[in-house]
Amino acid sequence: MKLARSLHTRAAKTNALVYTPPTPPPARPGPLSGTRVAVKDNICTRDMPTTCSSEMLRDFTSPFDATVVSLLRAAGAQIVGKANCDEFGMGSLNVHSIHGPVLNPWVPRDEHEHAPRSAGGSSGGSAAAVAAGLCDVALGTDTGGSVRLPAAYCGVVGLKPSYGLLSRWGVVSYSDSLDCVGVLARSVADVHKVFATLNHHDPRDPTSLPPSIRQRARSAPARGRDPSDLRGLTIGIPQEYFPAELPALPLRPLLRALRARGAALVPVSLPSTRFALSAYYVIASAEAGSSLGRFDGVRYGKHVPPPPGADRAKASQVYAHSRTKGFGREVRKRVLLGTYALSADAFDNYFLQAQRVRRLIKADFDRVFLKPNPLRGSPSRSDEREEEGKVDVLLHPSAMRTAPPLPAPSPATHLDAYVQDTLTTPASLAGLPALSVPAGLADGWPVGVSVVGQWGDEEGVLGVGRVVEAVVGM
């Protein structure tokens, strides 16, 4: 099951990095000394613009570094550039950007003439930069799959940590209850090293969880980290993540190899999964409408003066011109959807219903995981007794298909662009750690498999990720 390296990269043509520092600082001593890191364009850096790939912030340079960037610099990492992304993180194909689309750097050798393929979004620039060798590690943000999807499409490793572990101070918000800073690299070991560097409580971030909860999550030892002996590890295969529409992917040999090493594979059901995509877009859009309300051209963002004769009596009329010119079509669409979902007529039927679905999704995950959820406090005796049929981690495809061909230059308006997130949104809604690891090739293009664990069980998820990496690379 060796992962064939029948691919070559086109680093110069990916459009992955949109800014580079004027004078890269010398490497500092530390655990990440000499590590080249690209930072997604919605994470603040003091020495390069932070535009969120939007006309609204085209000329903005932050006066400070985001917490995660400061931690990287303190550990000796070199920030080599800002990575292209979908505007404000909204998109699955990395085509909604003022810098142009990101091209997938992987090209099968026997495909001399081919349509350019997507690097995935919204962190497509981060994934493409890693795959093309422009950096060793990249930071992205994951709201509904924006790290895992491009990682799968570009053949790299991508981690979305548990919500609340990595600081979001200095990260431009899209959806406050979903956004997570993620890590992409070519190996699980590199992802783990950077995650450990960033995994600290930040008092400046109100969503950063305190050390007491972090310690509670670390109290249970992780299992299944030895690639040669997986006895005692139970892997759940969620049936809802293998729909009839899913094409044939090279996952069966991987599952057989895991079983041969002693892992128990058991089918599980997460029935609320079918509602996850709808709930995600309602919640994310509603929160986006609130988060982006500050960009009105007066307080923040590009100001576009109203044309002669325009009504200036109402502030909203003045704001409208700046927001219409500053925001791209996809952002305007989601802000309008979110505004409607929060309106008096739709609040109960859409936003509250989506929050109820979110609770059901969390309950589904808690029901199948052996490890209790640290956010619920100490486990009850009934939780400790009911271990039969429960699993350590879940394993499923990272994406519905391989990297899709890029659409025409006009903005995508069909539903296919949104369906890309079908397999990734449930873990985001539940705030769980999820890791996409390369699992082989399908028709010459990378395929990813996702490992999902209980909240705070990054060690277990990364441990199983190492096993998958070792099995596929044999």
Side-chain angles (χ1 to χ4, degrees), residues 426-449:
S428 294
L429 288 167
L432 303 180
L435 178 76
S436 180
V437 185
L441 303 173
D443 299 325
W445 291 90
V447 171
V449 63

Side-chain angles (χ1 to χ4, degrees), residues 246-266:
L246 190 71
L249 299 176
L251 299 184
R252 290 186 182 275
L254 170 63
L255 298 179
R256 286 196 295 266
L258 294 175
R259 179 176 286 164
R261 284 162 173 75
L265 304 182
V266 299

Side-chain angles (χ1 to χ4, degrees), residues 11-19 38 82-85 101-103 124-130 132 134:
K13 299 180 180 180
T14 60
N15 196 29
L17 297 184
V18 292
Y19 300 107
K82 300 299 285 289
N84 199 352
C85 63
V102 178
L103 305 184
S126 299
V130 171
L134 300 175

Side-chain angles (χ1 to χ4, degrees), residues 205-224:
D205 177 10
T207 65
S208 180
L209 291 171
S212 58
I213 296 180
R214 295 166 186 264
Q215 182 58 40
R216 192 188 304 158
R218 290 192 293 264
S219 60
R223 296 189 290 175

Side-chain angles (χ1 to χ4, degrees), residues 135 176 198 211 213 216 218 309 311 332 397 399 413 419 455:
C135 60
D176 281 333
L198 304 180
I213 296 180
R216 192 188 304 158
R218 290 192 293 264
D311 181 9
R332 295 199 303 269
T413 56
V419 177
W455 189 95

Side-chain angles (χ1 to χ4, degrees), residues 149-418:
L149 195 65
Y153 288 167
C154 294
V156 299
V157 179
L159 171 68
K160 182 202 86 69
S162 301
Y163 180 84
L165 286 189
L166 301 194
S167 172
R168 292 192 301 115
W169 191 82
V171 178
V172 181
S173 295
Y174 162 20
S175 176
D176 281 333
S177 73
L178 294 166
D179 290 344
C180 295
V181 174
V183 184
L184 299 103
R186 282 186 287 275
S187 71
V188 177
D190 286 343
V191 167
H192 193 181
K193 183 166 60 175
V194 173
F195 168 74
T197 301
L198 304 180
N199 184 17
H200 297 285
H201 171 63
D202 183 3
R204 293 176 295 184
D205 177 10
T207 65
S208 180
L209 291 171
S212 58
I213 296 180
R214 295 166 186 264
Q215 182 58 40
R216 192 188 304 158
R218 290 192 293 264
S219 60
R223 296 189 290 175
R225 286 179 284 182
D226 183 356
S228 63
D229 186 1
L230 302 183
R231 286 175 294 181
L233 178 73
T234 304
I235 300 175
I237 310 298
Q239 62 185 35
E240 289 81 8
Y241 289 66
F242 292 83
E245 299 82 6
L246 190 71
L249 299 176
L251 299 184
R252 290 186 182 275
L254 170 63
L255 298 179
R256 286 196 295 266
L258 294 175
R259 179 176 286 164
R261 284 162 173 75
L265 304 182
V266 299
V268 297
S269 178
L270 303 169
S272 300
T273 296
R274 56 188 173 143
F275 307 118
L277 190 64
S278 300
Y280 163 76
Y281 275 106
V282 170
I283 294 172
S285 298
E287 293 182 357
S290 176
S291 297
L292 272 60
R294 72 196 75 178
F295 300 111
D296 51 28
V298 176
R299 294 171 295 175
Y300 300 98
K302 178 179 181 178
H303 176 67
V304 177
D311 181 9
R312 299 169 183 257
K314 295 182 179 179
S316 60
Q317 295 294 327
V318 177
Y319 297 162
H321 295 283
S322 295
R323 292 168 67 83
T324 300
K325 296 292 185 181
F327 289 147
R329 175 172 179 154
E330 184 66 22
V331 172
R332 295 199 303 269
K333 183 192 304 183
R334 297 197 191 196
V335 168
L336 288 172
L337 173 61
T339 303
Y340 174 72
L342 293 176
S343 66
D345 292 337
F347 186 79
D348 289 347
N349 289 333
Y350 290 93
F351 188 73
L352 286 187
Q353 289 284 52
Q355 296 289 8
R356 294 186 183 105
V357 169
R358 188 177 195 171
R359 287 198 297 271
L360 292 175
I361 290 170
K362 290 181 179 180
D364 279 353
F365 283 115
D366 286 341
R367 176 176 49 80
V368 301
F369 282 129
L370 180 63
K371 186 176 181 178
N373 191 331
L375 299 178
R376 292 173 52 193
S378 301
S380 64
R381 291 184 177 179
S382 60
D383 290 334
E384 293 175 347
R385 288 196 301 265
E386 297 175 0
E387 293 189 359
E388 185 176 353
K390 294 194 174 185
V391 302
D392 294 292
V393 296
L394 299 171
L395 198 70
H396 64 80
S398 297
M400 292 289 289
R401 56 176 176 171
T402 55
L406 282 175
S410 60
T413 56
H414 47 77
L415 291 178
D416 287 351
Y418 301 101

Side-chain angles (χ1 to χ4, degrees), residues 221-225 233 371 392-393 451 453 456-465:
R223 296 189 290 175
R225 286 179 284 182
L233 178 73
K371 186 176 181 178
D392 294 292
V393 296
V451 183
D457 190 22
E458 269 75 8
E459 291 298 323
V461 167
L462 290 165
V464 175

